[in-house]
Amino acid sequence: MKARVPQGFGGGPNNLQQLARQAQQLQEKMDAASQELELKEYSAAAGGGAVNVVVTGKMEVKSIDIKPEVVDPEDIEMLSDLVIAAVNEALRTAATEKADTMEQLSGGLNMPGLF
């Protein structure tokens, strides 16, 4: 007796082509989203607004604004800490948005090489 595979099962060439087409469409959507995110700007502040930083979605620092009243020649370390904190927060915000967007597009699948 010969076993029969139900119709629609078996992963024939049509299923593989459809899967490849879906993967290509997903890659295109992810590329478009990535390009859009790279154009965005993210800002963060530290020290109650004493230091404001703007970074791009490409993870590059675009600007750093420091209020004159926090510039103390006797305490350069504090100013340095504020700049680092603001830059890191802005970069975290950009990275989190990118990861969330890519996860939404991929449905939570981890697909190395796609993004």
Side-chain angles (χ1 to χ4, degrees):
M1 181 193 270
K2 206 174 192 183
R4 291 187 185 184
V5 177
Q7 190 172 4
F9 288 94
N14 289 338
N15 287 344
L16 290 176
Q17 288 174 351
Q18 182 180 3
L19 184 60
R21 210 170 18 256
Q22 289 174 342
Q24 183 178 6
Q25 289 172 348
L26 177 59
Q27 179 67 50
E28 289 169 359
K29 287 180 184 178
M30 294 175 93
D31 287 344
S34 183
Q35 288 175 359
E36 184 178 318
L37 288 169
E38 286 180 358
L39 296 175
K40 289 185 79 171
E41 293 181 356
Y42 304 86
S43 62
V51 175
N52 290 294
V53 174
V54 176
V55 299
T56 67
K58 290 182 180 182
M59 307 299 173
E60 297 173 346
V61 177
K62 183 173 182 181
S63 67
I64 298 176
D65 179 41
I66 302 171
K67 301 283 186 210
E69 56 269 18
V70 292
V71 180
D72 179 1
E74 301 296 319
D75 197 3
I76 298 297
E77 188 175 336
M78 180 199 64
L79 179 58
S80 176
D81 289 344
L82 291 174
V83 171
I84 290 168
V87 168
N88 286 336
E89 182 59 30
L91 290 173
R92 265 191 299 276
T93 301
T96 299
E97 183 172 340
K98 182 173 184 173
D100 290 348
T101 300
M102 293 305 163
E103 185 175 342
Q104 286 176 347
L105 285 173
S106 69
L109 294 175
N110 184 8
M111 296 181 287
L114 286 181
F115 56 93

XYZ file of all heavy atoms in Angstrom:
848
model
N 0.840 -1.165 0.000
C 0.000 0.000 0.000
C 0.894 1.241 0.000
O 1.864 1.312 0.726
C -0.894 -0.018 1.230
C -1.783 1.183 1.230
S -2.586 1.442 2.801
C -4.061 0.563 2.734
N 0.529 2.199 -0.789
C 1.297 3.420 -0.957
C 0.674 4.539 -0.124
O -0.525 4.744 -0.167
C 1.282 3.803 -2.434
C 2.444 4.593 -2.864
C 2.382 4.769 -4.370
C 3.678 5.296 -4.873
N 3.661 5.554 -6.277
N 1.520 5.248 0.641
C 1.014 6.366 1.450
C 0.840 7.585 0.567
O 1.620 7.827 -0.345
C 1.989 6.674 2.578
N -0.193 8.321 0.851
C -0.445 9.545 0.085
C -0.213 10.753 0.976
O -0.611 10.779 2.127
C -1.886 9.586 -0.418
C -2.156 8.571 -1.470
C -3.525 8.793 -2.016
N -3.841 7.733 -2.949
C -4.920 7.691 -3.641
N -5.834 8.616 -3.511
N -5.142 6.714 -4.475
N 0.395 11.742 0.369
C 0.626 13.000 1.075
C -0.548 13.907 0.759
O -0.924 14.058 -0.406
C 1.952 13.650 0.622
C 2.161 14.994 1.296
C 3.114 12.720 0.898
N -1.168 14.500 1.790
C -2.299 15.392 1.523
C -1.905 16.526 0.573
O -0.757 16.971 0.559
C -2.651 15.951 2.901
C -2.048 15.003 3.877
C -0.864 14.402 3.197
N -2.857 16.980 -0.192
C -2.606 18.049 -1.147
C -2.198 19.328 -0.401
O -2.747 19.662 0.633
C -3.858 18.314 -1.979
C -3.597 19.241 -3.140
C -4.824 19.335 -4.054
O -5.859 18.778 -3.769
N -4.670 20.028 -5.149
N -1.212 20.028 -0.942
C -0.738 21.249 -0.313
C 0.454 21.014 0.602
O 1.046 21.951 1.115
N 0.790 19.755 0.840
C 1.948 19.420 1.659
C 3.045 18.895 0.764
O 2.835 18.507 -0.360
C 1.596 18.357 2.714
C 0.735 18.884 3.826
C -0.636 18.762 3.766
C 1.309 19.498 4.917
C -1.437 19.240 4.783
C 0.523 19.988 5.940
C -0.852 19.859 5.879
N 4.237 18.863 1.283
C 5.313 18.253 0.527
C 6.382 19.230 0.106
O 7.478 18.844 -0.241
N 6.104 20.517 0.144
C 7.147 21.504 -0.148
C 7.702 21.426 -1.553
O 8.904 21.493 -1.739
N 6.851 21.253 -2.507
C 7.300 21.190 -3.893
C 7.896 22.502 -4.358
O 8.026 23.462 -3.593
N 8.293 22.564 -5.635
C 8.939 23.761 -6.175
C 8.113 25.035 -6.015
O 8.655 26.104 -5.771
C 9.145 23.432 -7.652
C 8.991 21.959 -7.769
C 8.173 21.508 -6.603
N 6.783 24.913 -6.129
C 5.946 26.108 -5.995
C 6.034 26.683 -4.587
O 6.069 27.901 -4.407
C 4.497 25.796 -6.352
C 4.323 25.554 -7.838
O 5.141 25.989 -8.633
N 3.278 24.846 -8.201
N 6.040 25.803 -3.578
C 6.150 26.274 -2.203
C 7.493 26.941 -1.954
O 7.579 27.936 -1.240
C 5.936 25.130 -1.210
C 4.481 24.697 -1.135
O 3.596 25.418 -1.576
N 4.255 23.519 -0.593
N 8.553 26.390 -2.504
C 9.881 26.979 -2.338
C 9.966 28.344 -3.019
O 10.564 29.276 -2.472
C 10.963 26.045 -2.885
C 11.217 24.775 -2.086
C 12.234 23.889 -2.784
C 11.681 25.112 -0.682
N 9.379 28.450 -4.191
C 9.384 29.730 -4.894
C 8.589 30.769 -4.114
O 8.997 31.923 -4.003
C 8.815 29.573 -6.303
C 9.723 28.832 -7.242
C 9.060 28.573 -8.594
O 7.866 28.799 -8.775
N 9.866 28.095 -9.546
N 7.462 30.362 -3.562
C 6.643 31.290 -2.782
C 7.397 31.719 -1.526
O 7.393 32.899 -1.168
C 5.320 30.635 -2.406
C 4.402 31.558 -1.629
C 3.087 30.892 -1.262
O 2.873 29.720 -1.534
N 2.216 31.643 -0.628
N 8.047 30.795 -0.875
C 8.829 31.115 0.317
C 9.973 32.074 -0.022
O 10.219 33.048 0.701
C 9.377 29.831 0.950
C 10.139 29.985 2.256
C 9.256 30.611 3.326
C 10.662 28.635 2.720
N 10.655 31.830 -1.124
C 11.740 32.711 -1.548
C 11.211 34.108 -1.869
O 11.842 35.120 -1.531
C 12.456 32.129 -2.763
N 10.041 34.180 -2.503
C 9.426 35.462 -2.833
C 9.060 36.229 -1.556
O 9.291 37.426 -1.448
C 8.181 35.217 -3.701
C 7.864 36.323 -4.662
C 6.771 36.010 -5.693
N 5.872 34.901 -5.431
C 5.953 33.708 -6.033
N 6.885 33.471 -6.922
N 5.089 32.745 -5.741
N 8.504 35.510 -0.581
C 8.150 36.147 0.693
C 9.390 36.645 1.422
O 9.395 37.734 1.993
C 7.370 35.169 1.580
C 5.972 34.902 1.088
C 5.282 33.813 1.899
O 5.927 33.038 2.605
N 3.960 33.748 1.782
N 10.454 35.862 1.398
C 11.701 36.274 2.045
C 12.271 37.508 1.362
O 12.764 38.432 2.034
C 12.718 35.133 2.013
N 12.187 37.572 0.051
C 12.686 38.741 -0.688
C 11.852 39.971 -0.355
O 12.388 41.061 -0.155
C 12.666 38.474 -2.192
C 13.241 39.641 -2.990
C 13.252 39.355 -4.487
O 12.743 38.349 -4.952
N 13.831 40.265 -5.236
N 10.542 39.813 -0.266
C 9.676 40.944 0.086
C 9.973 41.433 1.497
O 10.020 42.641 1.746
C 8.205 40.548 -0.033
C 7.738 40.362 -1.453
C 6.329 39.777 -1.541
O 5.774 39.308 -0.551
N 5.754 39.784 -2.740
N 10.193 40.506 2.416
C 10.533 40.883 3.787
C 11.856 41.630 3.814
O 11.991 42.649 4.485
C 10.596 39.646 4.686
C 11.016 39.892 6.125
C 10.060 40.869 6.820
C 11.085 38.578 6.894
N 12.838 41.150 3.061
C 14.138 41.822 3.002
C 13.985 43.238 2.463
O 14.583 44.177 2.986
C 15.111 41.026 2.121
C 16.482 41.678 1.986
C 17.255 41.708 3.278
O 17.373 40.690 3.938
N 17.776 42.864 3.650
N 13.157 43.423 1.444
C 12.937 44.751 0.871
C 12.279 45.682 1.885
O 12.664 46.848 2.021
C 12.094 44.649 -0.403
C 12.842 44.024 -1.568
C 11.945 43.673 -2.751
O 10.714 43.901 -2.681
O 12.483 43.158 -3.750
N 11.290 45.162 2.631
C 10.636 45.979 3.656
C 11.614 46.367 4.751
O 11.610 47.499 5.237
C 9.455 45.217 4.275
C 8.251 45.102 3.383
C 7.145 44.326 4.078
C 5.948 44.118 3.174
N 4.898 43.315 3.833
N 12.452 45.425 5.135
C 13.424 45.697 6.192
C 14.478 46.700 5.726
O 14.895 47.572 6.494
C 14.060 44.400 6.676
C 13.058 43.496 7.377
S 13.713 41.915 7.850
C 14.235 42.302 9.502
N 14.898 46.593 4.490
C 15.857 47.556 3.943
C 15.261 48.960 3.918
O 15.918 49.929 4.287
C 16.303 47.157 2.527
C 17.234 45.958 2.512
O 17.786 45.607 3.577
O 17.398 45.359 1.433
N 14.002 49.053 3.490
C 13.334 50.360 3.436
C 13.184 50.942 4.837
O 13.439 52.133 5.060
C 11.967 50.231 2.762
N 12.794 50.110 5.795
C 12.649 50.584 7.173
C 13.988 51.017 7.735
O 14.088 52.044 8.422
C 12.036 49.488 8.046
N 15.033 50.266 7.434
C 16.373 50.608 7.926
C 16.830 51.950 7.360
O 17.372 52.795 8.087
C 17.363 49.503 7.545
O 18.627 49.774 8.073
N 16.590 52.172 6.077
C 16.968 53.446 5.462
C 16.183 54.601 6.079
O 16.730 55.669 6.328
C 16.750 53.399 3.949
C 17.750 52.523 3.233
C 17.451 52.392 1.750
O 16.478 52.940 1.237
N 18.282 51.652 1.043
N 14.905 54.375 6.337
C 14.076 55.410 6.957
C 14.578 55.728 8.368
O 14.660 56.889 8.763
C 12.622 54.941 7.003
C 11.665 55.988 7.530
C 10.226 55.502 7.507
O 9.821 54.868 6.518
O 9.525 55.763 8.500
N 14.905 54.688 9.118
C 15.391 54.887 10.481
C 16.739 55.618 10.498
O 17.017 56.380 11.419
C 15.516 53.550 11.207
C 14.190 52.889 11.584
C 14.422 51.452 12.046
C 13.465 53.688 12.651
N 17.574 55.376 9.496
C 18.875 56.050 9.437
C 18.727 57.556 9.258
O 19.597 58.318 9.650
C 19.728 55.467 8.313
C 20.281 54.096 8.638
C 21.117 53.512 7.523
O 21.251 54.148 6.453
O 21.651 52.400 7.715
N 17.617 57.996 8.686
C 17.388 59.421 8.472
C 16.849 60.126 9.709
O 16.908 61.347 9.806
C 16.415 59.624 7.310
C 16.893 59.142 5.938
C 15.774 59.295 4.906
C 18.140 59.892 5.499
N 16.316 59.355 10.643
C 15.734 59.947 11.847
C 16.817 60.480 12.773
O 17.971 60.076 12.704
C 14.888 58.917 12.587
C 13.600 58.564 11.873
C 12.756 57.637 12.694
C 12.039 58.446 13.741
N 11.019 57.674 14.470
N 16.392 61.391 13.641
C 17.281 61.931 14.659
C 16.692 61.626 16.028
O 15.476 61.648 16.217
C 17.450 63.437 14.485
C 18.181 63.802 13.216
C 18.373 65.304 13.048
O 17.871 66.085 13.887
O 19.034 65.691 12.076
N 17.567 61.332 16.966
C 17.177 60.993 18.329
C 17.935 61.912 19.277
O 19.124 62.157 19.097
C 17.530 59.535 18.643
C 16.903 58.572 17.658
C 17.533 58.252 16.459
C 15.672 58.005 17.913
C 16.951 57.394 15.547
C 15.080 57.136 17.008
C 15.726 56.831 15.825
O 15.151 55.983 14.926
N 17.244 62.417 20.280
C 17.911 63.315 21.215
C 17.747 62.802 22.633
O 16.801 62.074 22.957
C 17.366 64.734 21.087
O 15.999 64.756 21.415
N 18.689 63.200 23.467
C 18.639 62.849 24.885
C 19.344 63.951 25.645
O 20.199 64.663 25.110
C 19.312 61.508 25.139
N 18.948 64.094 26.906
C 19.538 65.120 27.767
C 20.065 64.473 29.030
O 19.622 63.396 29.432
C 18.497 66.181 28.106
N 21.010 65.157 29.657
C 21.549 64.713 30.943
C 21.724 65.945 31.821
O 21.826 67.076 31.326
C 22.884 64.001 30.750
N 21.758 65.707 33.108
C 21.953 66.825 34.041
C 20.802 67.800 34.022
O 21.006 69.008 34.115
N 19.580 67.295 33.887
C 18.420 68.179 33.869
C 18.395 69.122 32.686
O 17.895 70.239 32.781
N 18.928 68.678 31.557
C 18.935 69.506 30.352
C 20.216 70.312 30.185
O 20.328 71.106 29.259
N 21.179 70.096 31.060
C 22.440 70.830 30.967
C 23.219 70.420 29.722
O 23.928 71.235 29.127
C 23.293 70.589 32.214
N 23.079 69.157 29.328
C 23.737 68.648 28.126
C 22.673 67.974 27.276
O 21.960 67.090 27.751
C 24.860 67.644 28.471
C 25.449 67.046 27.206
C 25.947 68.310 29.304
N 22.558 68.402 26.025
C 21.622 67.800 25.070
C 22.419 67.266 23.894
O 23.301 67.953 23.371
C 20.608 68.829 24.570
C 19.637 69.224 25.655
O 18.853 68.410 26.109
N 19.704 70.479 26.083
N 22.070 66.039 23.483
C 22.779 65.382 22.387
C 21.768 64.937 21.346
O 20.692 64.452 21.687
C 23.576 64.166 22.902
C 24.187 63.394 21.756
C 24.662 64.609 23.870
N 22.137 65.069 20.080
C 21.325 64.574 18.973
C 22.189 63.603 18.181
O 23.325 63.919 17.819
C 20.835 65.722 18.054
C 20.066 65.169 16.862
C 19.990 66.712 18.838
N 21.641 62.394 17.948
C 22.323 61.400 17.124
C 21.402 61.022 15.970
O 20.198 61.222 16.030
C 22.711 60.131 17.926
C 23.667 60.469 19.060
C 21.498 59.399 18.437
N 21.994 60.459 14.931
C 21.210 60.001 13.784
C 20.951 58.506 13.927
O 21.565 57.830 14.754
C 21.952 60.252 12.454
O 23.110 59.395 12.416
C 22.369 61.705 12.316
N 20.072 58.010 13.093
C 19.795 56.579 13.060
C 20.980 55.772 12.576
O 20.998 54.555 12.707
N 21.985 56.443 12.040
C 23.217 55.773 11.635
C 24.177 55.637 12.810
O 25.320 55.255 12.650
C 23.915 56.553 10.518
C 23.209 56.512 9.196
C 23.999 57.275 8.147
C 23.304 57.232 6.813
N 24.084 57.923 5.770
N 23.694 56.017 13.991
C 24.467 55.959 15.226
C 25.661 56.914 15.190
O 26.748 56.604 15.661
C 24.946 54.536 15.539
C 23.865 53.506 15.557
S 22.646 53.897 16.824
C 21.413 52.693 16.491
N 25.447 58.086 14.620
C 26.463 59.126 14.572
C 25.981 60.332 15.369
O 24.812 60.708 15.291
C 26.724 59.552 13.124
C 27.278 58.433 12.261
C 27.380 58.820 10.797
O 26.784 59.845 10.384
O 28.045 58.091 10.049
N 26.892 60.932 16.128
C 26.545 62.126 16.894
C 26.430 63.297 15.927
O 27.342 63.577 15.158
C 27.620 62.424 17.972
C 27.294 63.709 18.706
C 27.725 61.263 18.948
N 25.281 63.959 15.977
C 25.051 65.104 15.090
C 25.367 66.416 15.803
O 25.963 67.319 15.227
C 23.614 65.111 14.597
C 23.345 66.229 13.621
C 21.982 66.127 13.003
C 21.806 67.266 12.002
N 20.502 67.235 11.393
N 24.951 66.523 17.076
C 25.246 67.759 17.804
C 25.271 67.501 19.308
O 24.644 66.571 19.802
C 24.198 68.835 17.493
O 22.938 68.474 18.020
N 26.024 68.343 19.986
C 26.074 68.343 21.441
C 25.911 69.789 21.878
O 26.663 70.666 21.451
C 27.410 67.781 21.967
C 27.591 66.327 21.527
C 27.484 67.908 23.488
C 28.932 65.727 21.913
N 24.903 70.033 22.717
C 24.638 71.373 23.224
C 24.899 71.363 24.726
O 24.296 70.583 25.454
C 23.188 71.767 22.935
C 22.858 73.151 23.455
O 23.696 74.063 23.326
O 21.742 73.315 24.009
N 25.800 72.222 25.164
C 26.166 72.296 26.580
C 25.820 73.681 27.095
O 26.262 74.690 26.532
C 27.672 72.019 26.769
C 28.018 70.634 26.211
C 28.058 72.142 28.240
C 29.506 70.342 26.145
N 25.041 73.728 28.170
C 24.685 75.010 28.784
C 25.940 75.609 29.427
O 26.701 74.905 30.092
C 23.608 74.820 29.854
C 22.341 74.196 29.345
C 21.516 75.196 28.607
C 20.187 74.567 28.232
N 19.608 75.060 27.054
N 26.161 76.892 29.228
C 27.378 77.533 29.765
C 27.534 77.376 31.277
O 28.652 77.248 31.772
C 27.209 79.005 29.396
C 26.226 79.019 28.283
C 25.347 77.823 28.470
N 26.432 77.338 32.002
C 26.538 77.267 33.457
C 27.097 75.947 33.988
O 27.496 75.866 35.148
C 25.192 77.578 34.133
C 24.045 76.712 33.705
C 23.243 77.281 32.524
O 23.738 78.172 31.805
O 22.125 76.805 32.317
N 27.145 74.902 33.145
C 27.720 73.633 33.621
C 29.198 73.501 33.282
O 29.826 72.524 33.649
C 26.962 72.399 33.093
C 25.593 72.306 33.687
C 26.949 72.353 31.607
N 29.734 74.484 32.596
C 31.159 74.437 32.253
C 31.942 74.998 33.438
O 31.992 76.202 33.665
C 31.457 75.234 30.962
C 32.936 75.170 30.638
C 30.627 74.694 29.813
N 32.515 74.091 34.205
C 33.303 74.454 35.376
C 34.722 73.921 35.155
O 34.934 72.707 35.171
C 32.689 73.844 36.632
C 33.457 74.162 37.893
O 34.483 74.877 37.821
O 33.033 73.689 38.962
N 35.683 74.804 34.940
C 37.052 74.345 34.705
C 37.595 73.469 35.840
O 38.504 72.680 35.634
C 37.867 75.634 34.590
C 36.889 76.706 34.366
C 35.578 76.251 34.914
N 37.022 73.603 37.009
C 37.466 72.812 38.148
C 36.835 71.418 38.174
O 37.254 70.564 38.949
C 37.120 73.534 39.470
C 37.744 74.917 39.603
C 39.263 74.864 39.641
O 39.809 73.960 40.302
O 39.893 75.730 39.003
N 35.800 71.199 37.339
C 35.096 69.919 37.364
C 34.807 69.424 35.946
O 33.662 69.191 35.564
C 33.797 70.037 38.164
C 33.240 68.674 38.564
O 33.892 67.649 38.265
O 32.155 68.642 39.166
N 35.862 69.251 35.178
C 35.738 68.758 33.804
C 35.184 67.329 33.793
O 34.445 66.942 32.893
C 37.106 68.813 33.083
C 37.605 70.253 32.991
C 37.044 68.165 31.712
C 36.713 71.162 32.180
N 35.481 66.565 34.802
C 35.030 65.174 34.879
C 33.504 65.091 34.898
O 32.911 64.234 34.238
C 35.610 64.495 36.117
C 35.329 63.011 36.152
C 36.015 62.331 37.329
O 37.015 62.849 37.836
O 35.501 61.271 37.722
N 32.850 65.988 35.637
C 31.391 65.972 35.684
C 30.808 66.283 34.303
O 29.872 65.626 33.845
C 30.841 66.982 36.693
C 29.311 66.966 36.748
S 28.546 68.413 37.474
C 29.007 69.721 36.371
N 31.365 67.259 33.631
C 30.894 67.615 32.299
C 31.081 66.439 31.341
O 30.180 66.103 30.563
C 31.620 68.856 31.777
C 31.238 69.318 30.379
C 29.751 69.619 30.292
C 32.054 70.548 29.997
N 32.223 65.799 31.436
C 32.488 64.627 30.605
C 31.465 63.527 30.877
O 30.940 62.911 29.943
C 33.902 64.121 30.888
O 34.159 62.948 30.164
N 31.143 63.287 32.141
C 30.150 62.273 32.504
C 28.772 62.612 31.945
O 28.048 61.732 31.477
C 30.070 62.123 34.021
C 31.299 61.452 34.620
O 32.083 60.839 33.862
O 31.480 61.571 35.851
N 28.405 63.884 31.988
C 27.106 64.303 31.451
C 27.040 64.081 29.948
O 26.018 63.620 29.419
C 26.831 65.772 31.786
C 26.574 66.109 33.247
C 26.456 67.623 33.433
C 25.329 65.407 33.753
N 28.116 64.408 29.246
C 28.152 64.218 27.788
C 28.039 62.734 27.467
O 27.248 62.324 26.602
C 29.425 64.836 27.171
C 29.574 64.439 25.712
C 29.408 66.357 27.310
N 28.805 61.920 28.167
C 28.762 60.472 27.922
C 27.364 59.923 28.187
O 26.835 59.129 27.400
C 29.815 59.750 28.789
C 31.220 60.079 28.275
C 29.588 58.242 28.803
C 32.335 59.655 29.216
N 26.741 60.336 29.279
C 25.403 59.849 29.620
C 24.393 60.232 28.544
O 23.558 59.406 28.139
C 24.968 60.404 30.975
N 24.450 61.464 28.077
C 23.493 61.914 27.061
C 23.717 61.192 25.730
O 22.755 60.768 25.077
C 23.590 63.426 26.876
N 24.967 61.031 25.332
C 25.268 60.339 24.073
C 24.798 58.889 24.154
O 24.131 58.389 23.239
C 26.781 60.404 23.741
C 27.139 59.455 22.610
C 27.186 61.819 23.371
N 25.125 58.216 25.241
C 24.719 56.814 25.373
C 23.202 56.646 25.374
O 22.680 55.709 24.772
C 25.335 56.195 26.631
C 26.811 55.920 26.465
O 27.309 55.755 25.359
N 27.528 55.890 27.571
N 22.488 57.536 26.029
C 21.026 57.441 26.055
C 20.437 57.657 24.655
O 19.515 56.945 24.239
C 20.435 58.445 27.042
C 18.927 58.377 27.152
C 18.390 57.018 27.582
O 19.089 56.293 28.311
O 17.262 56.675 27.176
N 20.950 58.629 23.925
C 20.452 58.873 22.568
C 20.743 57.677 21.663
O 19.888 57.265 20.869
C 21.083 60.144 21.997
N 21.924 57.089 21.787
C 22.269 55.915 20.977
C 21.397 54.714 21.355
O 20.957 53.965 20.477
C 23.747 55.565 21.143
C 24.728 56.549 20.514
C 26.157 56.191 20.891
C 24.576 56.596 18.995
N 21.125 54.541 22.644
C 20.245 53.445 23.082
C 18.840 53.614 22.504
O 18.220 52.653 22.055
C 20.163 53.403 24.607
C 21.122 52.439 25.256
C 20.810 52.237 26.733
N 20.911 53.453 27.522
C 22.045 53.925 28.032
N 23.174 53.305 27.825
N 22.048 55.033 28.750
N 18.348 54.841 22.500
C 17.016 55.109 21.961
C 16.960 54.753 20.479
O 16.018 54.107 20.010
C 16.639 56.589 22.162
O 16.669 56.886 23.558
C 15.253 56.889 21.615
N 17.983 55.166 19.721
C 18.028 54.864 18.289
C 18.112 53.354 18.055
O 17.394 52.802 17.210
C 19.211 55.573 17.636
N 18.956 52.670 18.796
C 19.129 51.229 18.620
C 17.860 50.468 18.999
O 17.477 49.510 18.319
C 20.310 50.740 19.451
N 17.208 50.895 20.061
C 15.977 50.233 20.498
C 14.879 50.378 19.454
O 14.169 49.417 19.141
C 15.505 50.802 21.852
O 16.525 50.563 22.822
C 14.207 50.174 22.303
N 14.737 51.582 18.892
C 13.701 51.774 17.872
C 13.977 50.916 16.645
O 13.073 50.312 16.076
C 13.575 53.240 17.465
C 12.440 53.428 16.469
C 12.112 54.876 16.150
O 12.472 55.776 16.937
O 11.484 55.102 15.109
N 15.239 50.833 16.249
C 15.582 50.016 15.089
C 15.280 48.543 15.377
O 14.669 47.859 14.553
C 17.051 50.176 14.712
C 17.428 49.383 13.481
C 18.822 49.659 13.004
C 19.081 48.909 11.709
N 20.356 49.256 11.115
N 15.678 48.053 16.541
C 15.439 46.653 16.885
C 13.938 46.359 16.954
O 13.481 45.325 16.450
C 16.107 46.322 18.217
N 13.173 47.267 17.551
C 11.719 47.071 17.650
C 11.069 47.048 16.268
O 10.200 46.221 15.991
C 11.075 48.165 18.503
C 11.427 48.048 19.982
O 11.970 47.002 20.394
O 11.177 49.025 20.720
N 11.495 47.948 15.392
C 10.937 48.009 14.039
C 11.254 46.736 13.268
O 10.386 46.155 12.617
C 11.481 49.237 13.282
O 11.104 50.418 13.994
C 10.942 49.297 11.861
N 12.490 46.271 13.351
C 12.876 45.067 12.623
C 12.166 43.831 13.182
O 11.771 42.942 12.441
C 14.395 44.868 12.679
C 15.160 45.934 11.938
S 14.617 46.087 10.224
C 15.297 47.671 9.813
N 11.959 43.806 14.500
C 11.253 42.677 15.103
C 9.795 42.647 14.647
O 9.239 41.582 14.378
C 11.323 42.751 16.625
C 10.713 41.537 17.298
C 10.890 41.548 18.806
O 11.741 42.280 19.312
O 10.142 40.812 19.462
N 9.176 43.827 14.549
C 7.798 43.882 14.064
C 7.703 43.383 12.634
O 6.783 42.640 12.288
C 7.259 45.308 14.152
C 6.937 45.755 15.547
C 6.500 47.215 15.592
O 6.650 47.956 14.631
N 5.970 47.636 16.735
N 8.645 43.785 11.796
C 8.616 43.372 10.394
C 8.849 41.878 10.242
O 8.235 41.230 9.402
C 9.663 44.142 9.585
C 9.336 45.593 9.273
C 10.520 46.283 8.629
C 8.122 45.701 8.373
N 9.754 41.337 11.046
C 10.108 39.924 10.895
C 9.198 39.006 11.692
O 9.339 37.790 11.621
C 11.558 39.704 11.323
O 11.693 39.872 12.720
N 8.284 39.586 12.456
C 7.398 38.769 13.268
C 8.129 38.074 14.397
O 7.715 37.032 14.864
N 9.265 38.621 14.807
C 10.030 38.041 15.901
C 11.004 36.963 15.472
O 11.702 36.395 16.296
N 11.059 36.671 14.174
C 11.998 35.660 13.700
C 13.412 36.223 13.727
O 13.646 37.372 13.372
C 11.676 35.245 12.258
C 10.364 34.514 12.039
C 10.146 34.292 10.543
C 10.363 33.196 12.767
N 14.350 35.409 14.136
C 15.750 35.813 14.123
C 16.360 35.299 12.828
O 16.590 34.114 12.671
C 16.489 35.221 15.322
C 17.924 35.696 15.390
O 18.331 36.563 14.641
N 18.683 35.100 16.289
N 16.588 36.210 11.886
C 17.097 35.824 10.583
C 18.439 36.506 10.353
O 18.489 37.640 9.898
C 16.100 36.192 9.485
C 14.803 35.439 9.627
S 13.618 35.818 8.352
C 13.105 37.444 8.833
N 19.536 35.817 10.694
C 20.853 36.421 10.538
C 21.096 36.864 9.100
O 20.712 36.179 8.158
C 21.804 35.289 10.916
C 20.987 34.323 11.707
C 19.580 34.473 11.196
N 21.724 37.999 8.964
C 22.072 38.506 7.639
C 21.028 39.402 7.017
O 21.280 40.070 6.034
N 19.818 39.433 7.579
C 18.792 40.272 6.988
C 18.871 41.701 7.496
O 18.472 42.626 6.816
C 17.387 39.713 7.266
C 17.001 38.477 6.456
C 15.591 38.049 6.795
C 17.128 38.731 4.964
N 19.368 41.921 8.714
C 19.504 43.261 9.227
C 20.574 43.310 10.284
O 21.035 42.376 10.786
C 18.188 43.828 9.775
C 17.544 42.992 10.847
C 17.784 43.233 12.193
C 16.688 41.974 10.491
C 17.174 42.477 13.152
C 16.077 41.217 11.469
C 16.318 41.455 12.788
